[in-house]
Structures are given as structure tokens and as C-alpha cells.
Amino acid sequence: MGEIEQKPTPASRLGAPENSGISTLERGQKPPPTPSGKLMTVKIQMLDDTQETFEVPQRAPGKVLLDAVCSHLNLVEGDYFGLEFPDHKKIMVWLDLLKPIAKQIRRPKHVVLKFVVKFFPPDHTQLQEELTRYLFALQVKQDLAQGRLTCNDTSAALLISHIVQSEIGDFDEALDREHLAKNKYVPQQDALEDKIVEFHHSHIGQTPAESDFQLLEVARRLEMYGIRLHPAKDREGTKINLAVANTGILVFQGFTKINAFNWAKVRKLSFKRKRFLIKLRPDVNSSYQDTLEFLMAGRDFCKAFWKICVEHHAFFRLFEEPKPKPKPVLFSRGSSFRFSGRTQKQVLDYVKEGGHKKVQFERKHSKIHSTRSLASQPTASNSEVPKQSPQSASLTFGEGSESPGGQSCQQAKEAKVSTLESGPHQSPAPPSKSSPGSRAADGTAVVPPEEEEEEEGGKEGAQPSQRQPPQPSTGSLTGSPHLSELSVNSQGGAAPTNATLSPSLSPDTKQASPLVSPLLNDQACPRTDDEDEGRRKRFPTDKAYFIAKEVSTTERTYLKDLEVIASWFQSTVSKDDAMPEALKSLIFPNFEPLHKFHTNFLKEIEQRLALWEGRSNAHIRGDYQRIGDVMLKNIQGMKHLAAHLWKHSEALEALETSIKGSRRLEHFCRDFELQKVCYLPLNTFLLRPLHRLMHYKQVLERLCKHHPPSHADFRDCRAALAEITEMVAQLHGTMIKMENFQKLHELKKDLIGIDNLVIPGREFIRLGSLSKLSGKGLQQRMFFLFNDVLLYTSRGLTASNQFKVHGQLPLYGMTIEESEEEWGVPHCLTLRGQRQSIIVAASSRSEMEKWTEDIQTAIDLAEKSNGPAPELLASSPPDNKSPDEATAADQESEDDLSASRTSLERQAPHRGNTMVHVCWHRNTSVSMVDFSIAVENQLSGNLLRKFKNSNGWQKLWVVFTNFCLFFYKSHQDNHPLASLPLLGYSLTIPSESESIHKDYVFKLHFKSHVYYFRAESEYTFERWMEVIRSATSSASRAHILSHKESHLY
């Protein structure tokens, strides 16, 4: 073992520092720390159509996820592959290895990334691993089926014959025709069947490995092999397609190649807005330098194709990864994108050294299981066709067994893998004892787009690759429901965010003045004792029962939310003619059918729970300990209501447009929001039906994970999950757009001094409290970051508690830098705009990092626009006022601080406990990513609550939504008694010294405010911990590891 441990790592062979685990770091450079904090679940669709679930830190870059996938597959030559996914415009883009995943994918739980081949080498013999060739063969099979790999009938039949040989073995005409009838490899396969059978007869004795080799031999000679077409026009306006390959840039007309520009001929690649420019080297016979120009659909398409070209050139032409250029001090010009990762030469050199140990793998569709050679000697010559060892047996894991998965890459060690199996032949891969080809994750240089392509590399690697949107995956699910130490499981969806309990969160010692909690000690609520516990213990103990009960409790809250619009709002509207009839007919007829349907749905769920608990019809014998059949029936019924769901986004836009055009309607809606029944912003209720679909999906994923495949309820749960996944996929793009639209309008109500906050294309990114350095010292300001402008405000002393805009900084041309040493202020940043610069300080290091990351992202987004952002303010920024006016404004903000302690207790005309005010009082921030996560983490149910110095437990109906706990006497109440915003609170379990001798108790505390809550079961306890952690971890993430006295839970 000692000799194995002393072997050089793959990174060291490529010139990296010792033990760095990253192949591209320069001398003396330390590897970036692995992001810590909350894990997020990401689904990956593999090339064999299975789905696997990975858990990675929220702040992890894309490299961590790709390394985890390669490590799980034991894939040594992983540099040929990439991860692609549909962006918000439904365009397939590549996952950037250097950017945080959460910044690229807003809702990772609802997006399925595809693991596909990114770089196609000119000769398949350069692929030295059998597993790599197998994956390439699967890519060819996929391209054939999707019509991307076009060829004549003879070539198609020959390709399919090799696939059939690999999957079912030697020729048997009856078996061949039966197999072809069940599997469609090309759209017009029936006409080719005789040719396929004829070709297959000639492959007798060919192993699956040899079939892969021959398949790639045929495919690589095809003109469309590895080609992804990008629509464009030439100077004359003729429609063409551009593509990039290992040899250079290709031009197609339809599927016919009409021109090619080899890398040796290309001097520069650049783009200007929609124009893609290729500057060719001068011809030998002429000094004329030709520049070719192509027009693409938009700047984003143009830049995406340029980045793909940069990556292909670097991967196939350079000896090593291009080093980043030093960043300019003041201004940057052009894109900072560069290629990141090992070049093909580095991959070939590493694999030839034979430092890795080859292990077995299993083919999903093949009846003949291949294996890699177990010899540790260097590989044979490149051109040798690998032979399969007939004595090797495939690795399989029986039901209930655990796979000994392992993460070998340094950054991938943080990732947990959950395998979704789509067929009986799939088994988890065994661990690799060496690091698979690790990719680069270092910094990037700022390089103008017009630079030589040899000097360019990758930073923003999210390029459109294929135009077909991914289908919602609902594959066949088998395997054990039990989790191993590495969370390897087989289930019908993503694993819960927190399958295991993590260290408790602790308060930030640098928080600003506390937000006084609402009145939470209503004595009218009934007290409970241990008799309640005895009653609970008589209920079923199966986890599936508590999952079904969660459906019931959250459905009750959802019905109440529907009633806010369908009943309360409609009743109020009927008494006043402020709302146009057209708007009424758009809103209410689309909510009433939903309310009626879900009323019946809730009734069915409660009847099933009553039978499950034995509370009614106890004499009737039947299998009632299931919920999947009820879910399947009603989700299928929801599909008939899809037309109403599509109308909700239209209703939201119409309502806001009408409010903008009618002062009377604006006051009417604001008055309704002040009613107790409207406990959230009015426009939030219009999106509730879309959010509820995601909740059903999460519940069904948990049920599919819990039930073994043999369970009577498994099939119904899996079918229901497939149905709801399809609905969520269809509405996902609309949901993201509407959430941003709703958030902009919600912020508009909290701000004064703004003329046009809501404009097409503007996206909200982050809001929060920062201290701005001025002549009087540090002054608290509220900052609002969008994709084109940064606003800073102070809280006024008006009755509305709104925030007054003090200034704006367009992000176009802005730079950001840390300046703690320059100003002597902790966590200090300098923001340099084209017209002004400001110095701000965050409350903690973690807050500063989050702001820095988001502002830099916003600057990158602003560069994509054609110019500076439009003016937002109704008048000129107050920064240009006289010193006397500046002193008055500063005094105003100081008065705000003293008035903030009781702001949430006052009954003001404008709601004072919005998220903007909570962030102001607790000196923290929230991003749009956090809001999207909060939408998914909603929960309702009964909890027992105890105060710090009280003796009894108080039973309350509690609703968690929008980073806040809302308390009711019972689920039948129409409005909450009080609310508790959770940002800044810490979530722990009580210590022994607190003498809370009860099960399933968790503790919430913020400075002197302490609350204890008791759940009825282990499942509900874990669920409440999970959703509350999503609201508190953002504020306390930097302190998880610093408080050793925190208890594990």
C-alpha cells in the first residue's frame, strides 16, 4: 500500500504543484478551497438514458459536478465530455466549469443536465479506454436517433448492425427482427431492416468492445460526425449553418459542407454584436488578408459559437492549457473567456503513462458484459482493438445492497451521488483508486475578443450545442430504497436536500440591531401535555403515512391561498368597480375551477388518511395504506386544468399593467393587501398554482425513494411522478419569468424615487444591507442589484416605511475590487462606475463574498447589452446635493436605525415586514436564487411551541413560506395570529443544559429571542429542519464551522 500512496498524482504529471489535485495551477499557487455550506441536488442524464442524482455545495463551480460525474463513472478520459442543459431561453448551453452552478441554473432540482460528448477527436483510436469508446458509441446512437448524424441508408444500416451486435450478441434472425421491432435507432428504420440483418450476419464473434470500435470507425468517416449546426447568414443574406470541429470551422448549406477553414489558416476569431468574424492568414501568392463575416441570430448566439470555437482550438491544437493574462487595474476590454481544462495532448500523455488502474464497467443494453483489463501495465498501441476478457463477470448489486462508491478528485470528494437506475442491467460503478483526469478550476484572464485565438481560454463556457429541449425524465426505477454512506440509492426522483442531519447553525455576532419579533404568546391557544404524545403514538409509524400527511397539511394551506383570490379578493372586487371587467374575467374564472378541484382532492386525501389511521370504516378490510393511487388519479385530472394554469402568468401581467394605468385600482389592491387574510403580497397568490406543482413533484420523489419497487404503491407513485414532471417541465420557463416579474413589482412598492424599475429584460439579482463610506463615516444603506444597474437607498421616516433612492450605478463598464487595506474598513469593496465610485462594507466576510460574486455576474450580464442602462430615477441622484442636504440625509438614516426596533410592531399603511425591511433590520441580504429555493421549500402542519422561560407547550398551526413562519390557532383560521421572519435566526437542537426532555425538538434563536418547537414524528422533525434551514443557512453559512459548541442534529 505504501508504494501506491507514493505514486505521483495525475495532476503532478501535468506540472501542477504537489497534492493540489488541479492540473493547471502555477508554481506557488494554492488550489481554491472547496465550497462549503448547504448541498443542492442536481440530476444528470447519462448517455445510456439513466439518470443519476448528485449533491454538491451550492457555491460549487461546474468543475466539481463534472469531476463528480467522471469519478462516479471511473472515467479517465473525461476531458472529452461536458454537461449541457437548457437555459431560461430553452437553448442548450454548456455548464461553465469555473462559474458556480447556482449562478447558471436557477432551479437545479428541476433541470436535468445531460452528460454528452463535447470534443470529437479526428481518430477514434486516440480514445485509449474501452469505457470512453463505449460512451462515444452511445453518443453516436443518440445522434442517429435524433437525426443529427445524417447519412445514406447503407451507412445507417451498417451502424445499426454494430449497435445490435453490441447489445444482443451474434446473429439470430428471429431475435434480430424482434429486437429491431422493439428498438428504433433511426426514424425510418423499417425500410432498412433487411440491410441491418444482412450486415449483422457478418459480425459473428465480434465482442461489444470490438463493435464499439467498428461503429466509431464507420461514424468518423461521415460528414456530420460530431457536428452541431449553428444557423447564420453570409454577407448576401443566404441562410447557412456554421459548425466547429477538430480541424477548424466548417460552413454547411443544409447538411452539405460547402467550405472549411482549417485552424492553420485562421489568424483571429472575433465577434461584434451579431457578426461573427474570421480573419484568415495572408495567402502565399498575395498579401491580401481576407476577413469573412457571418450574421447570426443575436449577440448571445454569436458569442456562444465563438466560445465553442475557442475551446475546440485550444483542446485540439495547444500543448497545454493557455495561461490567464493578468487583469487590468482599471478597465477591461472584451471577453475574459478562455479554455479551462486539459488539452487533448495532455490527456493522451496521461493515459499512455498507465498510472491509473482499470476497473470493470457494465453496459446497460448489452447482454454481453464488457470489462476493462485489470492489468496495471501501460496500454497497448492506440490502434489495437481491445479484446474482451471472457472470464470476467460484470459487477452487479442485488436489491438492498450498497455500492461502495468513492470520489477520487479532490473537489469531487464533497459530492454525494445518488443513482437512478432505468433498467435491470444498470449497476453502480465501483470506486476508482486514482484520480480521473482532473480539470482546471483556476482564475481567468481578461482577453479582448479580437485577440489571437491561441491566447483565449474559457470562463463563460455556456454555449448552445443542441437545439432540442430535454424531455422530462421519468425512467424505470429499481433498486434498494436504503441509503448508503454515500447516499447511493435508487428512487423516482431527487434525494431530499438533507438526507442526513448537519451541524447546527449559529447566530452572526456582527448582526445589526435585532428585529423585534411579532407577538407570539397568544394565551388563547390550548396548552398540551404528554397525553398528546400518547395520542400521536397510536398513529401509523410508516414514513409513507407522514409523507401522505404532508400532502394533506400543505393542501389545506394551498386551498386557503386559492380562497384569497377566488373568495376574498373576488368578494372585495364585487363591491367596487375599480377593476375592469376584462381583468375580472381573466383572473377569477381561472381560479374557481382550481379551487373546486383541489377541494375534492383534499377530501379524498383526508378520507384515505382516516382509513390509514383506522379512524373511520374500521370494519372495512382493504389496502388503504397507500397514497399513490389518489395522487395519480388527481394529477391526471390536473392535466385537464392546464389551460387555467397557463392563464395565471397572463393574469399577473394584466393585473400589474392595469395597476400602473389606474391610480384607483392601485389604492384598491394596496388596501386589500392590508387585510389580515392577505398575509403575502397579492401578486404572490397568483403564482401559487404553479408553485404547487413543484411541491407535488417533491412529495412523489420522496415516496418513490421510500418505497421499494416491489411495494404495491410504487408503480402508482412512479406514474404520478412522470405525469407531474412533464407538467413542471412545460411550465418551468414561464415560472422563472413570472417570478422575476413578480419580484420586480414587489420591490417597486418598497422604493420611492424610481420612474421605471420594471422594464423588459431587467432581472433582479440581490438585495441587502451594506454600509456606505461617506464624509461622515459608514452609513447604512439598502442596495438593490439588477442585471444592468445597482441602486442604493436609505429608509425614510414616512408612514409607508419605503426606501428612498439615493443613487444608481450603471453596471456597464463598472469594476469591483477589495479595498480593506486602503480604507482600513473590514469587508470593504470599491465599486468604480463610469460616472462615480463608491466604497461599501459588508457585515461579514461571507456577505462580502456573496455581494462580490453577484455584482461581478451582473457586470458580465450588463456587458451583453448595447449600452448603459436607462435612467431609473425620477430626479437626479441626491449625491450631487449640497453639504447641508447631505447632512440632513445622513441624519435621516441615523434616525432610521433608532426607529427600526419597533418598525414591525407598528400597524403602518404599508406592510413593514417585507423581505426588504427584514434585511435592513438584520443587516443581511437575499438573492433571487434564495427566493427561488424558498418557493420550493414550503410546509404546513401542527407544531408545539415553547418559550424560553415558559413551562407548557402551545399547539399551533404553522405555515412556512417566504422565509417566514406564520402562526395560526388552527388550520381553519383565515388569517395568521403572528409571523416570525427567519433571516438571521440560527437553527439548532437544545443542549442538555436547557432541560428539554422531549423528542423531535428544535430551537430557533436570534440574540435574546429563543423559541422551541416540537414535531410529531421523526419525519416531520426532519422536514421542518430542512425547510427552516433553507431560510436561515444563507445568513449563518459562514459560521457553521466556527461554533464547536453547536450540536449535531
Side-chain angles (χ1 to χ4, degrees):
M1 293 299 293
E3 294 180 359
I4 295 177
E5 293 174 354
Q6 293 172 3
K7 284 185 177 181
T9 64
S12 66
R13 292 192 183 93
L14 299 179
E18 186 176 348
N19 298 326
S20 71
I22 300 174
S23 65
T24 56
L25 295 178
E26 298 177 3
R27 294 288 180 188
Q29 204 174 359
K30 295 182 179 179
T34 302
S36 60
K38 182 182 175 184
L39 299 178
M40 64 178 175
T41 302
V42 184
K43 294 180 183 177
I44 308 292
Q45 181 172 326
M46 312 304 285
L47 283 164
D48 59 1
D49 295 327
T50 61
Q51 268 194 31
E52 295 182 359
T53 303
F54 293 80
E55 289 182 352
V56 295
Q58 274 192 343
R59 298 172 66 86
K63 179 187 184 306
V64 173
L65 180 59
L66 184 60
D67 282 350
V69 175
C70 294
S71 178
H72 179 65
L73 292 172
N74 296 299
L75 181 59
V76 177
E77 298 172 296
D79 302 78
Y80 291 103
F81 300 84
L83 296 169
E84 61 178 3
F85 63 95
D87 66 2
H88 63 284
K89 295 181 181 178
K90 298 296 182 183
I91 299 173
M92 296 301 291
V93 297
W94 291 107
L95 183 72
D96 194 319
L97 300 185
L98 300 180
K99 285 187 176 179
I101 301 170
K103 295 293 180 184
Q104 303 179 62
I105 310 173
R106 288 189 179 175
R107 288 204 187 91
K109 286 185 179 179
H110 304 290
V111 175
V112 179
L113 286 82
K114 292 186 176 181
F115 179 75
V116 294
V117 177
K118 188 173 185 179
F119 301 111
F120 291 80
D123 189 349
H124 62 292
T125 58
Q126 294 176 339
L127 305 175
Q128 301 177 40
E129 280 279 289
E130 182 185 334
L131 173 59
T132 312
R133 286 191 292 269
Y134 168 60
L135 295 175
F136 266 73
L138 291 178
Q139 183 69 66
V140 170
K141 176 183 172 183
Q142 192 178 99
D143 290 350
L144 268 176
Q146 295 177 355
R148 281 203 296 253
L149 183 57
T150 57
C151 56
N152 59 40
D153 290 350
T154 302
S155 297
L158 184 57
L159 290 169
I160 297 172
S161 69
H162 285 299
I163 296 173
V164 172
Q165 175 69 22
S166 174
E167 292 183 353
I168 66 173
D170 288 344
F171 171 79
D172 182 316
E173 184 167 356
L175 186 60
D176 277 18
R177 296 190 183 277
E178 179 184 353
H179 185 76
L180 291 172
K182 293 179 180 179
N183 299 274
K184 296 297 180 184
Y185 299 104
V186 290
Q188 307 297 330
Q189 181 173 297
D190 294 341
L192 304 178
E193 187 170 309
D194 291 338
K195 279 188 177 181
I196 296 170
V197 172
E198 179 183 349
F199 282 131
H200 186 207
H201 188 268
S202 63
H203 302 331
I204 292 177
Q206 192 169 282
T207 66
E210 293 171 326
S211 297
D212 290 343
F213 191 92
Q214 297 301 331
L215 174 73
L216 296 177
E217 176 66 29
V218 176
R220 76 180 183 92
R221 301 178 187 277
L222 300 176
E223 198 165 65
M224 296 300 295
Y225 173 64
I227 295 299
R228 302 290 183 269
L229 298 178
H230 299 260
K233 293 180 181 179
D234 61 15
R235 284 183 175 177
E236 287 73 34
T238 306
K239 291 185 178 180
I240 58 171
N241 290 303
L242 297 179
V244 61
N246 57 82
T247 55
I249 300 173
L250 312 177
V251 183
F252 287 82
Q253 200 159 33
F255 292 101
T256 304
K257 185 169 70 175
I258 60 175
N259 210 341
F261 305 101
N262 292 335
W263 295 124
K265 295 181 180 179
V266 176
R267 183 185 175 194
K268 291 182 182 178
L269 292 175
S270 60
F271 69 98
K272 293 180 180 178
R273 294 186 176 87
K274 298 193 295 183
R275 294 182 298 150
F276 181 74
L277 306 174
I278 305 176
K279 194 168 188 178
L280 301 177
R281 298 187 185 278
D283 189 22
V284 177
N285 301 321
S286 172
S287 60
Y288 175 68
Q289 295 185 7
D290 192 16
T291 300
L292 303 174
E293 180 179 312
F294 300 94
L295 193 66
M296 306 193 80
R299 183 184 184 277
D300 290 346
F301 290 93
C302 197
K303 184 176 182 179
F305 181 65
W306 171 78
K307 289 193 286 188
I308 297 173
C309 294
V310 170
E311 290 185 308
H312 272 73
H313 177 273
F315 183 76
F316 288 109
R317 295 277 289 180
L318 303 187
F319 289 152
E320 59 184 15
E321 178 187 8
K323 291 183 172 16
K325 284 188 175 181
K327 293 185 178 180
V329 178
L330 294 177
F331 301 102
S332 62
R333 179 173 175 266
S335 173
S336 60
F337 181 80
R338 67 180 180 85
F339 171 72
S340 173
R342 297 188 299 187
T343 64
Q344 187 191 27
K345 182 181 185 302
Q346 290 176 310
V347 176
L348 292 173
D349 291 345
Y350 165 60
V351 179
K352 286 177 181 178
E353 289 177 10
H356 58 283
K357 183 175 181 180
K358 300 180 180 181
V359 294
Q360 297 169 311
F361 73 95
E362 185 173 356
R363 299 165 181 266
K364 176 190 171 187
H365 301 289
S366 180
K367 296 180 180 178
I368 308 170
H369 301 295
S370 285
T371 177
R372 302 187 207 182
S373 170
L374 298 180
S376 58
Q377 300 298 325
T379 56
S381 64
N382 292 347
S383 59
E384 180 181 337
V385 179
K387 300 291 183 181
Q388 178 183 335
S389 172
Q391 299 176 350
S392 61
S394 62
L395 290 177
T396 58
F397 294 87
E399 186 174 314
S401 64
E402 296 181 353
S403 167
Q407 302 292 344
S408 55
C409 292
Q410 180 176 350
Q411 287 187 318
K413 287 181 181 178
E414 294 288 329
K416 296 180 180 180
V417 184
S418 302
T419 306
L420 276 97
E421 297 176 332
S422 297
H425 301 297
Q426 177 71 12
S427 64
S432 167
K433 293 188 179 180
S434 68
S435 172
S438 53
R439 295 171 179 264
D442 58 329
T444 59
V446 179
V447 183
E450 292 78 18
E451 283 290 305
E452 293 284 340
E453 69 276 9
E454 287 85 357
E455 301 296 326
E456 293 162 344
K459 178 183 176 183
E460 305 170 5
Q463 304 97 344
S465 177
Q466 65 183 50
R467 304 298 176 189
Q468 301 178 358
Q471 298 298 321
S473 179
T474 56
S476 172
L477 309 166
T478 61
S480 169
H482 304 294
L483 290 172
S484 71
E485 292 180 359
L486 289 176
S487 299
V488 178
N489 61 76
S490 301
Q491 30 90 6
T497 306
N498 296 286
T500 58
L501 300 175
S502 59
S504 59
L505 304 173
S506 303
D508 188 346
T509 56
K510 295 184 180 180
Q511 290 287 353
S513 58
L515 180 70
V516 176
S517 300
L519 184 64
L520 299 179
N521 55 352
D522 189 350
Q523 300 300 320
C525 295
R527 300 278 173 173
T528 63
D529 52 21
D530 288 341
E531 293 179 4
D532 227 15
E533 185 174 346
R535 272 198 306 276
R536 290 199 306 273
K537 288 183 177 177
R538 291 199 297 269
F539 286 154
T541 57
D542 183 17
K543 182 178 178 180
Y545 163 79
F546 292 105
I547 297 177
K549 193 170 182 180
E550 180 183 334
V551 178
S552 171
T553 57
T554 53
E555 192 74 10
R556 287 173 179 170
T557 300
Y558 176 54
L559 262 181
K560 288 293 183 183
D561 289 345
L562 290 179
E563 286 174 7
V564 171
I565 300 295
S567 179
W568 295 93
F569 190 49
Q570 186 173 13
S571 175
T572 307
V573 166
S574 65
K575 300 173 185 177
D576 196 306
D577 59 351
M579 181 177 288
E581 290 297 325
L583 184 57
K584 292 180 185 178
S585 62
L586 183 60
I587 295 177
F588 302 119
N590 288 306
F591 269 83
E592 290 166 350
L594 290 176
H595 184 266
K596 182 179 179 181
F597 176 87
H598 286 279
T599 300
N600 294 327
F601 184 18
L602 177 60
K603 191 178 298 183
E604 288 188 42
I605 295 173
E606 290 181 335
Q607 289 174 351
R608 177 58 56 87
L609 287 174
L611 294 172
W612 203 330
E613 297 166 355
R615 288 188 281 120
S616 63
N617 297 329
H619 60 284
I620 301 177
R621 293 186 176 274
D623 182 16
Y624 296 115
Q625 296 186 356
R626 52 187 298 185
I627 195 67
D629 55 338
V630 178
M631 296 292 292
L632 178 59
K633 171 191 169 186
N634 284 278
I635 287 174
Q636 289 174 339
M638 284 178 210
K639 299 185 81 172
H640 301 296
L641 300 173
H644 298 292
L645 294 174
W646 282 105
K647 287 287 185 180
H648 290 165
S649 60
E650 184 180 344
L652 175 60
E653 292 179 338
L655 176 62
E656 295 296 346
T657 302
S658 299
I659 289 175
K660 184 177 181 180
S662 171
R663 182 66 61 86
R664 184 181 175 187
L665 180 60
E666 179 183 1
H667 289 305
F668 176 84
C669 293
R670 183 168 297 178
D671 290 342
F672 180 78
E673 283 190 329
L674 293 175
Q675 296 185 25
K676 291 182 178 180
V677 71
C678 189
Y679 66 101
L680 295 172
L682 177 60
N683 53 17
T684 302
F685 292 101
L686 294 176
L687 296 179
R688 275 294 192 252
L690 302 181
H691 297 159
R692 186 59 177 158
L693 297 179
M694 294 191 296
H695 303 156
Y696 292 139
K697 183 172 179 285
Q698 289 180 342
V699 167
L700 287 165
E701 286 173 344
R702 284 194 288 273
L703 281 169
C704 288
K705 176 191 169 184
H706 171 69
H707 289 314
S710 58
H711 194 278
D713 206 25
F714 181 80
R715 180 172 295 181
D716 286 338
C717 290
R718 187 178 63 185
L721 176 60
E723 298 280 356
I724 199 66
T725 301
E726 182 180 357
M727 293 182 69
V728 169
Q730 292 172 352
L731 294 167
H732 180 66
T734 301
M735 214 177 306
I736 292 177
K737 178 184 175 183
M738 285 300 102
E739 283 178 3
N740 180 70
F741 182 83
Q742 182 266 332
K743 187 57 60 182
L744 289 176
H745 279 281
E746 184 181 335
L747 295 177
K748 183 180 176 182
K749 297 174 185 176
D750 283 310
L751 298 173
I752 55 176
I754 287 184
D755 191 21
N756 56 339
L757 179 65
V758 184
I759 61 173
R762 175 161 293 143
E763 294 180 11
F764 164 68
I765 297 178
R766 180 175 289 276
L767 65 86
S769 174
L770 293 171
S771 296
K772 179 176 177 289
L773 186 63
S774 65
K776 292 179 66 67
L778 290 173
Q779 298 290 327
Q780 186 181 10
R781 293 285 183 263
M782 196 70 187
F783 281 73
F784 298 84
L785 177 63
F786 303 93
N787 63 337
D788 58 349
V789 70
L790 176 67
L791 303 180
Y792 57 96
T793 68
S794 67
R795 184 165 164 269
L797 289 177
T798 61
S800 63
N801 284 331
Q802 289 174 291
F803 288 82
K804 182 180 179 181
V805 176
H806 276 235
Q808 60 171 324
L809 279 81
L811 299 180
Y812 190 86
M814 179 188 285
T815 60
I816 180 173
E817 61 186 37
E818 294 187 22
S819 51
E820 293 185 17
E821 296 181 0
E822 181 180 355
W823 297 101
V825 178
H827 321 307
C828 183
L829 297 171
T830 298
L831 306 177
R832 303 187 189 277
Q834 291 184 338
R835 291 182 294 181
Q836 68 177 116
S837 299
I838 62 172
I839 296 94
V840 298
S843 60
S844 64
R845 183 76 187 179
S846 62
E847 277 292 305
M848 184 190 74
E849 290 173 351
K850 286 186 281 189
W851 276 106
T852 302
E853 187 176 336
D854 282 347
I855 291 174
Q856 188 59 57
T857 300
I859 291 172
D860 294 340
L861 292 173
E863 288 179 355
K864 297 181 180 180
S865 63
N866 293 327
E871 290 293 324
L872 288 172
L873 306 182
S875 59
S876 60
D879 289 85
N880 299 324
K881 55 185 176 290
S882 66
D884 293 338
E885 292 172 326
T887 303
D890 292 336
Q891 183 63 42
E892 177 187 67
S893 65
E894 290 169 0
D895 293 340
D896 293 344
L897 291 176
S898 62
S900 67
R901 294 179 177 270
T902 57
S903 63
L904 296 198
E905 295 180 301
R906 296 196 300 261
Q907 288 296 323
H910 182 74
R911 192 195 319 276
N913 61 346
T914 63
M915 193 52 55
V916 179
H917 289 81
V918 175
C919 289
W920 171 268
H921 295 305
R922 293 183 180 162
N923 204 15
T924 186
S925 66
V926 179
S927 70
M928 190 62 197
V929 174
D930 295 326
F931 280 110
S932 298
I933 293 172
V935 163
E936 302 168 14
N937 290 304
Q938 298 186 15
L939 195 60
S940 308
N942 286 312
L943 286 176
L944 302 179
R945 187 195 60 192
K946 179 183 179 299
F947 294 104
K948 183 177 181 180
N949 298 318
S950 64
N951 295 322
W953 291 86
Q954 189 178 9
K955 186 176 182 180
L956 294 169
W957 177 261
V958 184
V959 174
F960 173 82
T961 185
N962 203 33
F963 302 96
C964 193
L965 291 177
F966 294 90
F967 301 96
Y968 300 74
K969 287 184 179 179
S970 75
H971 68 85
Q972 297 173 337
D973 290 355
N974 292 320
H975 59 81
L977 298 169
S979 63
L980 178 63
L982 294 178
L983 278 179
Y985 267 76
S986 293
L987 177 67
T988 61
I989 62 170
S991 63
E992 290 293 331
S993 61
E994 294 173 274
S995 300
I996 306 293
H997 303 298
K998 301 291 182 182
D999 293 331
Y1000 315 130
V1001 177
F1002 59 91
K1003 172 185 173 183
L1004 282 170
H1005 61 97
F1006 176 76
K1007 295 195 173 180
S1008 61
H1009 303 282
V1010 178
Y1011 304 97
Y1012 302 97
F1013 294 92
R1014 247 172 96 192
E1016 65 178 352
S1017 68
E1018 182 179 0
Y1019 172 79
T1020 52
F1021 168 79
E1022 291 177 356
R1023 284 290 293 138
W1024 279 106
M1025 296 284 279
E1026 178 182 346
V1027 298
I1028 292 176
R1029 190 184 299 116
S1030 70
T1032 58
S1033 60
S1034 178
S1036 303
R1037 176 165 36 213
H1039 308 282
I1040 292 175
L1041 302 178
S1042 63
H1043 290 260
K1044 295 184 179 179
E1045 70 275 13
S1046 298
H1047 300 276
L1048 295 176
Y1049 51 82

